[in-house]
Amino acid sequence: MIIRYSHGDPIDTGALVTAFDKHDLSEFPFKGQWENGGFRFSFPMAPQDILYGLGESPRGINKRGWVYESYCSDDPFHTETKQSLYAAHNFILLSGSQTFGLFIDFPARIRWDLGYTRQDVAEITIDGADFDIYLIQGDDPRAVIRAFRAAIGKSYVPPRWAFGYQQSRWSYHNAAAVDEVIARYDRAGIPLDCVYLDIDYMERYKDFTVDENAFPDFARYVREKRAQGIHLIPIIDAGVKKEEGYDVYEEGRENGYFCKKADGSDFEGGVWPGICGFPDFLDPAVREWFGAKYQRLLDLGIDGFWNDMNEPAIFYSADGIEAALEEAAALKGKNLDLSGFFHLKDTFAGLSNAQSDYSSIYHNIGGKPVNHQRVHNLYGASMTKAAGEYFEKTCGKGKILMFSRASYIGAHRSAGIWFGDNHSWWSHILLNLKMLPGANMCGFLYCGADLGGFNENATRDLVLRFLALGVFTPLMRNHSALGTRDQEGYRFEHPEDFRDVIQVRYRLIPYLYASFIKASENDDLLFRPLSLDYPDDPIARECETQLMLGDECMIAPVYEQNVSGRTVYLPEDMTFVKLSGERTETQALTKGLHYIKVALNEVPLFIRKGKTIPLCKPAMRTSELKWDDTVPLI
Ligand code: MIG
C-alpha cells in the first residue's frame, strides 16, 4: 500500500507512472517541523532496525549511522566520509521493528541524517516546501520494494549484447588505438563485445561530431567493427560547445534552448570544450531537439551511448572565471601575504561546481523561470530521458544501450547508470558491491562500476578481483582514466587468467540475462542483501560483503590484496562453485562460516539448496554464444 502526502505545489519529476491521491502533510504519521523554509521530520529506530536504499551513495548496504545528501555531484573521490555521489535516489526502506519504505519526490537537496546525530533517530530534512512523500507499506521488505517499483515503472532493458564484456579507457584516441584493443583482446583469446570512445573521438569536444583525422570515414569504420562483432560506444557530454558555425550550438542559442541567467541571457560554463551552453533538458521541447541529435550517430551505425558530466559538472562559469581573473590581475606586482595567497588559490579552486553558479542558472518550466537549485537533481536524468524518449520512438524498446552518470528515479525507465569515477582501490570492490542492491531498489538494474578502478594505478590482482565481481554486474566494463596505468586484460602477465575470468561471464550470460529480465518484469531486485532472503538469521542480516543474486545464487567476491581467499557466511547449505575458463569445480558446504580459497583466475559462486543455473560454452562475442545450448551447473 502506498500513501502520498503532499505539500505545496510539487514540480512534476516524472518519477512515478502511477498517480496516487493526495493526502495532506498533516496526516503524515511522522513528526515534523518547518525550519528555514524546509521540512524536517524524524522517526525512531530500534536497535535491530536496518535502513536500506539511497541507491548510488557512499558507505554500506545498511545506510544507518551516517548522514547523506541528495545532491547530484561530480566528485571523483568516493571516500567513505562523502555524503553524495552523482545520483539522487530518494528511497529508503526500514526493516526490523517495523517494515516501511519512504520515497521523497523532491528534486532539490534532501539531508538524510540516518542515525548520525542520534543513533536511534532518523532525521530527514527536505530543503523546500513543494514535495510529495510516499509511504510504502508491505508485509516484508521485498513486498515494499515491489510496490515502490511498480509505482515508478519498469526498468530499462538494454540489448542482449550489452551483457558482453566491455573495454573502455579515457582515451582511445583514434581508429588505430581502438583496433589495437580489439586485436590484442582477440589474440589473448579474451571475449569482448564493446569498445568505448571517450571525449577525444569528437571534434574539439563537440557533441555529435566525430574527429575526421582520428576516424576517417567513421560510418565505414563502425560497420567494419560491427562485422567483427564489436560495438563502439561514444560518450555524450551535457555541455554544448559555444562556437560560431557549430549548428547544435547555434540552434540551441537561436531557439532559447540553453539554461539562462536571471537577466535572461544564456548561462555560460566551461567544461571540456571550453565555454558551453547547457541545454535546458527540463523543457520537453529541448529534450525533443537534443534527443533527435543522437540520430547523427545512429546514422553512422552507433547503437550505444554513455551520457557524462550531467550533474551538471561545471569546471567554471564565464562570470566566475572573469571575476577570478580580475582579482588575480589586481594582485599583480603586489606582495601577497599568506592569507592573500590562500584566498587567491581558493578563488580558483572554488570555481568548479560552485554553488553560486548553480544558483545563477534558470530553467524554463511551463513558461516560467525556475531556479536550478530547485530542480538540480533532475538535470542528468532529463538529459538521459531526452535520448531515451527519442530511441524508444525511433528504434523501439531495448535496441540502444545507454547509461548515464547523474540520475534521479524515473530515469531508470530510459537507461542504466554507471557509478562514476571510482579509484583503483581495494575498498572500491566492496563499494561497488554495496551500491548494487540500493540501485536495484531504485529501479536501476542495468548498472556497474568502472572495473579495475578509474582513478590511479591498478595492479594485476586488483583488476582480476574486480572483474570477478563484475562478472555478475549487468554492466561489465573495465574503464580507467587518462594517465593511469593501462589495465586492459592483455596488459598484464599471464593474460590467460583474464581470459579465464571473462569467459566465466560469457558462460553465465544466458542465466544473467534471464534473471535480469525476470527482475525487470516482476519489479524485483537482481541483487539483494542477504537479510531479504534470511530475515531471521542475525548473521545474514548484517552481512555487508555478500549478496543474493537472482533466485538461485549468492556471490561473495574476494576484496583484499595478498589473500588466497575469504571467509563466507552460508545462511543455509549451499554448493560452493569455482568457475574458471571452461572449468567448473563444485563442493557441498553446510550452513555456517567457511574459509574459501579462490585463485586469481577463479570466480566464486554459491548455489542455493535444491537450485541450479544454466551454463553455456564461452565465446569471443555474445553474438557467437549458443544461448539455448546450456547445461545445468549441478
Ligand atoms: O572530467 O570524459 O566519469 O568516465 O572518462 C572527466 C572523461 C570527464 C568523467 C567520466 C569518466 C570519463 C571522463 N569524464
Side-chain angles (χ1 to χ4, degrees), residues 5 25-33 39-44 92 94 98-102 122 124 133-137:
Y5 301 94
L25 189 63
S26 58
E27 293 172 42
F28 186 52
F30 302 123
K31 200 171 122 277
Q33 75 255 11
F39 182 66
R40 170 180 308 159
F41 68 92
S42 58
F43 55 84
I92 55 167
L94 184 137
Q98 316 171 58
T99 305
F100 64 86
L102 284 173
I124 297 162
I133 305 177
Y134 294 85
L135 177 64
I136 307 135
Q137 262 141 352

Side-chain angles (χ1 to χ4, degrees), residues 304-586:
F305 300 91
W306 49 315
N307 287 343
D308 191 21
M309 306 295 277
N310 51 7
E311 294 69 32
I314 303 171
F315 294 163
Y316 57 87
S317 67
D319 293 344
I321 201 152
E322 191 58 35
L325 289 170
E326 266 170 33
E327 193 180 319
L331 295 171
K332 208 167 171 204
K334 295 210 174 110
N335 184 3
L336 272 189
D337 61 9
L338 208 60
S339 70
F341 168 73
F342 282 110
H343 180 76
L344 184 67
K345 192 168 166 245
D346 291 348
T347 302
F348 282 89
L351 285 175
S352 294
N353 304 322
Q355 285 303 313
S356 54
D357 284 336
Y358 290 129
S359 300
S360 75
I361 299 174
Y362 287 82
H363 298 272
N364 168 15
I365 299 183
K368 289 203 196 79
V370 172
N371 188 266
H372 177 76
Q373 293 286 21
R374 290 189 56 204
V375 291
H376 174 77
N377 293 335
L378 289 180
Y379 191 77
S382 306
M383 174 188 184
T384 295
K385 218 164 122 184
E389 283 165 352
Y390 183 77
F391 297 151
E392 204 171 319
K393 196 172 68 192
T394 52
C395 314
K397 260 187 186 301
K399 295 283 187 272
I400 306 294
L401 167 62
M402 181 174 54
F403 52 89
S404 173
R405 198 169 70 176
S407 62
Y408 186 85
I409 292 172
H412 70 285
R413 300 193 297 273
S414 305
I417 49 172
W418 97 99
F419 299 150
D421 300 346
N422 63 359
H423 273 71
S424 295
W425 289 339
W426 286 89
S427 62
H428 278 186
I429 296 180
L430 271 192
L431 182 62
N432 182 173
L433 176 135
K434 290 172 185 186
M435 282 190 207
L436 292 166
N440 279 193
M441 288 177 201
C442 297
F444 293 94
L445 294 183
Y446 191 78
C447 53
D450 289 350
L451 301 173
F454 176 76
N455 290 299
E456 312 255 27
N457 295 334
T459 57
R460 177 180 184 273
D461 50 359
L462 175 82
V463 181
L464 282 165
R465 295 301 198 196
F466 231 128
L467 288 171
L469 167 61
V471 156
F472 300 104
T473 60
L475 169 62
M476 186 191 186
R477 185 180 76 142
N478 176 338
H479 180 49
S480 57
L482 191 71
T484 61
R485 182 182 187 182
D486 292 318
Q487 62 185 45
E488 295 86 358
Y490 53 79
R491 296 283 184 182
F492 300 98
E493 307 154 81
H494 297 293
E496 65 275 14
D497 287 352
F498 289 82
R499 183 198 59 210
D500 286 345
V501 170
I502 294 165
Q503 279 187 338
V504 171
R505 165 66 166 215
Y506 282 69
R507 293 169 70 195
L508 284 165
I509 284 179
Y511 169 69
L512 291 173
Y513 185 75
S515 303
F516 183 97
I517 296 294
K518 203 157 111 189
S520 135
E521 279 174 0
N522 299 335
D523 300 319
D524 213 338
L525 306 175
L526 183 62
F527 295 104
R528 296 182 304 283
L530 268 52
S531 61
L532 264 58
D533 294 60
Y534 308 96
D536 302 322
D537 181 327
I539 303 179
R541 275 185 79 73
E542 292 187 354
C543 185
E544 290 273 345
T545 64
Q546 306 168 204
L547 292 175
M548 304 308 295
L549 162 65
D551 291 329
E552 296 79 10
C553 305
M554 184 178 80
I555 60 168
V558 177
Y559 54 87
E560 281 170 314
Q561 189 165 26
N562 301 321
V563 298
S564 44
R566 60 165 284 171
T567 304
V568 175
Y569 177 67
L570 269 53
E572 61 175 322
D573 295 353
M574 288 184 179
T575 305
F576 170 41
V577 186
K578 284 199 264 196
L579 298 163
S580 180
E582 302 206 30
R583 192 163 58 80
T584 308
E585 223 178 87
T586 62

